[in-house]
């Protein structure tokens, strides 16, 4: 794949020193380049750009509450640079072999199929390990040498050796920064090995600032009146505050309103604008139908207080 220099200010729509550039790929047609979505680049972009330019034997971990945009940040950076991504969602039963590759039965015979780690290492893709703190730390320890730039030796495939492409990078996302879940909100999260974590740069990703999130809403749902968007965001931020335990009584909610869910709520509110209580109906479909009764009522009380007449029967203009 042919490399290409991208101007940072132009590629990401941010203020940056004149002439600051980063190398990506010229071919924008690769099927593993993440699709473009409305996105406002903010916190952490400088750290990611520095890492992409020179990882220096590190990997990069993005941590933060669910729905704060950790995966989206990596994918949209990759999109702007035409950088293919091997994206994997980790889980408790995943093994290192799932990442490296394994023999599969094909047309009556077995052949070795390389996994996302092997392909990313060979081709110079980004390896994105989502929910990394759900995976067994003993299996993840097998990535230590690869992160540091050593070749991958696949013993089960006759000792095949894959040397790292200069563009190979490892990203991971998680809710706990590898320290385990102390809140009880994230089922299945495991405490990770300290030696493994020591190989990561870490970025804390929080929820969007209200004015930035309003811009996202305006781009995703342009027909939504701005004053209604502001009220939806106010509801979302109060729900997030209770979810993250910032109230006096600690965490009071086990569901939260991510930006993704917020956009869904806004779209559904417009879809059901002719129905009775469209904003309430939309919120139920977007989020609260999966909350228990007590939490559903609590979120609805928050929304009713913020939305006023719009909640009880008004419709978005």
């Amino acid at each position: 794949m042919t490399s290409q220099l991208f101007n940072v200010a132009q590629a990401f729509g941010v203020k940056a020193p004149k002439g600051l550039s980063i190398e990506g790929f010229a071919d924008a047609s690769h099927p593993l380049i993440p699709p473009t979505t409305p996105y406002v680049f903010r916190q952490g972009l400088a750290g990611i750009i520095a890492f992409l330019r020179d990882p220096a034997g590190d990997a990069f971990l993005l941590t933060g509450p669910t729905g704060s945009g950790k995966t989206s940040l990596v994918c949209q950076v990759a999109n702007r640079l035409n950088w293919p991504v091997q994206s994997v969602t980790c889980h408790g039963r995943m093994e290192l072999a799932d990442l490296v590759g394994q023999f599969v039965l094909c047309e009556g015979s077995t052949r070795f199929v390389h996994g996302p780690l092997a392909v990313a290492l060979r081709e110079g893709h980004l390896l994105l390990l989502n929910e990394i703190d759900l995976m067994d730390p003993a299996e993840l320890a097998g990535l230590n040498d690869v992160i540091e730039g050593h070749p991958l030796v696949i013993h089960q495939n006759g000792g095949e050796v894959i040397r790292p492409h200069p563009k190979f990078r490892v990203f991971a996302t998680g809710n706990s920064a590898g320290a385990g879940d102390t809140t009880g909100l994230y089922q299945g999260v495991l405490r990770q090995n300290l030696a493994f974590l020591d190989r990561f740069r870490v970025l804390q990703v929080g929820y969007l600032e209200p004015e930035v999130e309003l811009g996202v809403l305006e781009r995703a749902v342009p027909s939504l009146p701005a004053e209604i968007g502001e009220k939806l965001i106010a509801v979302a931020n109060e729900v997030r505050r209770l979810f993250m335990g910032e109230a006096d009584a600690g965490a009071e909610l086990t569901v939260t309103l991510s930006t993704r869910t917020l956009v869904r709520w806004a779209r559904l509110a417009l879809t059901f604008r002719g129905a009775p209580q469209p904003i309430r109906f939309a919120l139920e479909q977007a989020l609260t139908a999966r909350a228990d009764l007590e939490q559903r009522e609590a979120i609805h009380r928050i929304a009713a207080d913020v939305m006023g007449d719009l909640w009880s029967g008004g419709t978005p203009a």
Side-chain angles (χ1 to χ4, degrees), residues 92-317:
R93 297 183 302 278
M94 181 173 283
E95 299 177 350
L96 182 63
D98 296 321
L99 299 176
V100 174
Q102 49 198 315
F103 282 96
V104 299
L105 184 63
C106 181
E107 297 180 351
S109 61
T110 59
R111 64 184 182 90
F112 189 84
V113 176
H114 293 91
L117 168 60
V119 175
L121 190 72
R122 183 183 65 215
E123 303 294 336
H125 298 174
L126 303 184
L127 176 65
L128 176 56
L129 302 172
N130 288 301
E131 311 291 356
I132 196 171
D133 41 14
L134 295 178
M135 191 168 167
D136 185 344
E139 296 292 333
L140 286 171
L143 295 175
N144 288 354
D145 288 344
V146 170
I147 290 173
E148 291 183 349
H150 298 290
L152 174 67
V153 180
I154 308 178
H155 298 288
Q156 60 267 47
N157 195 32
E160 179 188 8
V161 177
I162 300 179
R163 301 192 181 278
H165 189 287
K167 293 293 188 186
F168 170 67
R169 306 286 187 270
V170 177
F171 283 92
T173 70
N175 299 122
S176 72
D181 177 32
T182 59
T183 67
L185 295 172
Y186 302 108
Q187 298 298 316
V189 164
L190 302 174
R191 188 177 184 88
Q192 295 298 317
N193 179 273
L194 184 60
F196 177 68
L197 294 175
D198 192 50
R199 290 166 166 81
F200 283 83
R201 306 179 193 185
V202 181
L203 173 66
Q204 179 74 34
V205 180
Y207 291 112
L208 292 171
E209 297 80 9
E211 61 275 10
V212 176
E213 196 160 41
L214 182 60
V216 173
L217 267 185
E218 289 173 344
R219 278 186 289 276
V221 195
S223 57
L224 183 76
E227 61 272 17
I228 294 179
E230 291 171 355
K231 289 180 180 294
L232 299 185
I233 290 169
V235 173
N237 282 330
E238 180 61 16
V239 169
R240 294 162 183 169
R241 187 179 72 85
L242 296 174
F243 171 75
M244 295 175 67
E246 295 176 1
D248 293 339
E252 297 180 11
L253 295 175
T254 57
V255 295
T256 189
L257 252 165
S258 66
T259 299
R260 183 189 309 111
T261 304
L262 182 67
V263 170
R264 182 187 307 134
W265 183 17
R267 284 175 173 156
L268 289 173
L270 291 178
T271 299
F272 300 126
R273 72 175 71 191
Q277 296 186 293
I279 292 180
R280 175 176 182 147
F281 186 50
L283 180 59
E284 289 175 348
Q285 288 206 2
L287 175 70
T288 59
R290 57 184 166 91
D292 63 47
L293 180 60
E294 183 178 354
Q295 295 194 36
R296 185 184 314 150
E297 291 177 346
I299 295 172
H300 286 184
R301 282 195 298 271
I302 293 168
D305 289 343
V306 172
M307 304 299 300
D309 291 342
L310 287 169
W311 178 258
S312 58
T315 58

